[in-house]
Amino acid sequence: MLTVRKSRERGYADHGWLRSYHSFSFADYHDPRYMGFGNLRVINEDRIAPGTGFGAHGHRDMEIVSYVLEGELAHKDSLGNEQSIVPGEVQRMSAGTGVVHSEHNPAQGRSTHFLQIWLLPSRQGMAPGYAQKAFGDAQKRGRLCLVGSPEGREGSVQLNADARLYAGLFDGAEQAVMVLPEGRKTYVHLVRGSLQVNGQRLEGGDAAMIEQETQLQLDAGKEAEVLVFDLAP
């Protein structure tokens, strides 16, 4: 079964300095039909205005992944990490027993466009942690590149969650087929462009929620960038 969620159906918030689309219920946006999918709890598509950002605030018991699309995201946390995240990089912050962090756009002339992703951790009360890795376009071109996994396989960022995250770039005749594990859920988020997912056409910001299917086929892309989540049920 494949269910398409159109980009226009997402929640939206405009705070002036921040414009954000919410794939699932978040902050003032609440829809009981979309509280998460499997152990995927949040996908926010955020645009931060130049010279602004999120002040210091706390989290606990959540795996938080940042995927930057344009611009730069400056990160600072109570663990002593102070990093810049740019396109092609995947950052994971394990909130665990508690962490305080801030994120802002240090540029004066352009916005920062990124995805903020929350996954429920495998267990609560873990020690907080941080990881960040770069994945070049060549690694994602015409294929699904593993960028996050519990085991840190294939050079991916290690996740403290029962989830695997893949990223891919598809255009023209490029295609990928993935066998889907039985009993799990698959979430496809089209970051931008257009792409056919198991015969269904998605446009930028659209998503496909997949259950009880044996394979995933991605093809007929037009400047497409996509994230695929293999999730605990």
Side-chain angles (χ1 to χ4, degrees):
M1 179 175 66
L2 184 153
T3 303
V4 173
R5 176 98 187 276
K6 302 301 289 182
S7 173
R8 63 178 178 273
E9 298 171 356
R10 295 179 293 175
Y12 178 68
D14 187 343
H15 301 287
W17 65 274
L18 171 69
R19 292 180 293 129
S20 182
Y21 287 94
H22 307 316
S23 294
F24 303 107
S25 295
F26 187 87
D28 293 334
Y29 167 63
H30 180 78
D31 187 329
R33 299 172 300 170
Y34 299 106
M35 299 300 295
F37 187 70
N39 55 341
L40 175 61
R41 181 61 187 84
V42 168
I43 298 183
N44 289 346
E45 182 182 355
D46 291 344
R47 288 177 172 84
I48 305 175
T52 67
F54 301 92
H57 61 286
H59 294 282
R60 63 183 302 121
D61 290 323
M62 194 67 69
E63 290 287 284
I64 301 174
V65 176
S66 295
Y67 187 88
V68 176
L69 304 172
E70 297 172 357
E72 178 184 353
L73 187 66
H75 168 96
K76 186 176 183 179
D77 63 42
S78 54
L79 303 176
N81 298 297
E82 192 166 349
Q83 300 285 342
S84 177
I85 312 160
V86 297
E89 295 184 333
V90 175
Q91 176 229 49
R92 181 268 297 157
M93 185 182 74
S94 299
T97 53
V99 66
V100 174
H101 76 136
S102 63
E103 294 172 310
H104 74 279
N105 174 7
Q108 294 301 317
R110 62 179 180 181
S111 64
T112 295
H113 182 196
F114 78 108
L115 297 179
Q116 179 184 171
I117 299 161
W118 293 11
L119 293 156
L120 298 175
S122 299
R123 60 182 177 85
Q124 296 187 337
M126 291 185 291
Y130 184 93
Q132 182 175 332
K133 290 189 176 182
F135 301 89
D137 284 359
Q139 295 173 267
K140 296 176 280 189
R141 172 55 56 196
R143 62 184 294 267
L144 288 173
C145 173
L146 184 66
V147 299
S149 70
E151 311 86 0
R153 281 195 297 113
E154 300 173 23
S156 61
V157 172
Q158 190 265 329
L159 301 175
N160 295 302
D162 185 4
R164 289 167 183 83
L165 173 58
Y166 300 83
L169 301 170
F170 296 90
D171 199 38
E174 295 170 337
Q175 62 175 312
V177 176
M178 174 186 288
V179 175
L180 300 181
E182 186 176 355
R184 294 178 67 82
K185 296 187 175 186
T186 304
Y187 191 88
V188 180
H189 181 86
L190 186 60
V191 177
R192 49 190 161 198
S194 65
L195 185 67
Q196 194 163 266
V197 178
N198 285 10
Q200 297 281 334
R201 172 62 60 181
L202 300 188
E203 303 293 336
D206 293 350
M209 295 172 282
I210 302 172
E211 301 178 81
Q212 300 174 353
E213 297 278 349
T214 59
Q215 77 171 25
L216 172 68
Q217 180 166 332
L218 308 177
D219 54 29
K222 294 183 179 179
E223 299 181 343
E225 181 169 5
V226 66
L227 295 181
V228 174
F229 297 81
D230 165 33
L231 300 163

